Amino acid sequence: MPTEDRVSDTTPPSVDELLQRVEEVAPLPHVATRVIQVTEEDPFLAYDPAIIATDTALTVKMLRGANSAFYGYPRRITTVRDSVVLIGFRAVRATAIAAAIIDLFPGADDGPFGIDLFWGHAVACGLVAEAIARETGRARPDEAFTAGLLHDLGQLVLSQYEPERFGRGLYRAMNGAEPMEVAERLEFGYDHAQLGAALTSQWNFPSDICTAIAEHHNLDQAPDLRGLTYVHTQANGPCHKHGLWCGLDTLDGTKGYGAPGSISDDLSSRRS
């Protein structure tokens, strides 16, 4: 995975230039693309085991998940068909997407932007968004979960393809100079939300998910937002408020998640 610096180049790469570099080095696998397409076209097609079975690595991950204690199935699952039926529609898409992106952007966990913290925040935001969607009826819960899982995808791209410039913005944000998205705009001329929306659009994700990713920091506009975008802005806020941050350590060395407090109160206040 390239992590070349652009210190000698005073002009940051454009969104299109970064997308081209991602496409050249780490395109989204065909199986993940196909799962995204079929689950949008017809959810029942997601249960076709032939789609998953063409990718051996993804098959192994799904069988491992189906046999985990989380599902508690009484017998061992050994086929793709049984795995897909057991895991369900939302998990089919989430597993395919997460497995593919983890492989594309493996990251590192030895600096302030930790990959474990990144995915911890991503999953938390997905689950909170799904809960809000179920309670309010403003969006499909499965789409809310997917949008939450991917909303900070742009940070993965910036941290691995532009580590020096991204690191400068990260340091400014950690020092409290400005929010991370503002620091990114100062460094690049755009932020991770814009980049993530452009990348998911390039990967042919549904337009509602792309829009939710693009707008997830616009909390001040939340009352005027609709559907999935509204749900997602409401999910991201409580996750940050309760310490479920994205890939950051604070300057005093404490981890960016696990802060005390009940997120359920925030969820209750968002029911409508």
Side-chain angles (χ1 to χ4, degrees):
M1 182 60 60
T3 56
E4 70 270 22
D5 298 344
R6 297 176 70 97
V7 177
S8 60
D9 186 354
T10 59
T11 303
S14 67
V15 169
D16 288 342
E17 288 172 337
L18 271 181
L19 294 184
Q20 181 62 36
R21 289 163 65 185
V22 172
E23 184 61 28
E24 290 173 352
V25 176
L28 191 68
H30 173 73
V31 170
T33 301
R34 182 63 180 143
V35 168
I36 293 166
Q37 292 172 345
V38 299
T39 53
E40 285 304 316
E41 294 165 1
D42 184 348
F44 292 104
L45 291 178
Y47 294 90
D48 182 358
I51 296 173
I52 304 298
T54 58
D55 188 316
T56 302
L58 182 57
T59 297
V60 170
K61 289 181 174 70
M62 293 194 70
L63 290 175
R64 186 180 301 158
N67 284 294
S68 69
F70 178 81
Y71 292 103
Y73 204 66
R75 66 178 180 83
R76 185 163 185 80
I77 305 300
T78 59
T79 69
V80 175
R81 181 180 296 277
D82 287 346
S83 175
V84 174
V85 170
L86 173 65
I87 290 177
F89 166 56
R90 186 198 75 184
V92 166
R93 177 158 52 183
T95 301
I97 292 170
I101 292 177
I102 287 172
D103 289 341
L104 294 183
F105 307 105
D109 201 37
D110 56 356
F113 186 82
I115 199 67
D116 63 334
L117 297 180
F118 175 89
W119 285 113
H121 173 72
V123 171
C125 196
L127 292 172
V128 172
E130 181 185 38
I132 294 174
R134 289 188 187 280
E135 290 292 338
T136 65
R138 293 199 180 200
R140 285 173 46 182
D142 58 288
E143 285 195 347
F145 180 83
T146 300
L149 192 69
L150 298 178
H151 74 286
D152 283 326
L153 177 63
Q155 287 196 342
L156 280 183
V157 177
L158 293 175
S159 68
Q160 294 193 40
Y161 284 81
E162 290 291 323
E164 185 71 20
R165 197 181 296 274
F166 178 74
R168 292 199 300 267
L170 182 61
Y171 184 77
R172 290 177 60 85
M174 292 173 66
N175 267 317
E178 59 262 329
M180 188 64 203
E181 64 273 17
V182 175
E184 290 167 348
R185 291 180 205 131
L186 292 174
E187 288 289 340
F188 295 96
Y190 50 85
D191 60 32
H192 67 274
Q194 294 168 286
L195 179 60
L199 181 55
T200 50
S201 178
Q202 178 171 283
W203 284 343
N204 295 316
F205 275 76
S207 60
D208 285 353
I209 291 179
C210 300
T211 300
I213 291 172
E215 302 291 340
H216 74 266
H217 281 295
N218 292 341
L219 292 175
D220 56 335
Q221 300 177 21
D224 299 322
L225 298 175
R226 296 178 179 273
L228 183 60
T229 303
Y230 170 84
V231 167
H232 197 44
T233 59
Q234 298 304 291
N236 197 45
C239 286
H240 281 278
K241 177 180 177 181
H242 292 281
L244 296 163
W245 300 342
C246 177
L248 302 177
D249 290 346
T250 56
L251 287 182
D252 63 3
T254 58
K255 287 290 185 180
Y257 64 86
S262 173
I263 200 169
S264 61
D265 293 338
D266 279 321
L267 291 181
S268 297
S269 70
R270 285 166 171 74
R271 294 175 182 172
S272 63

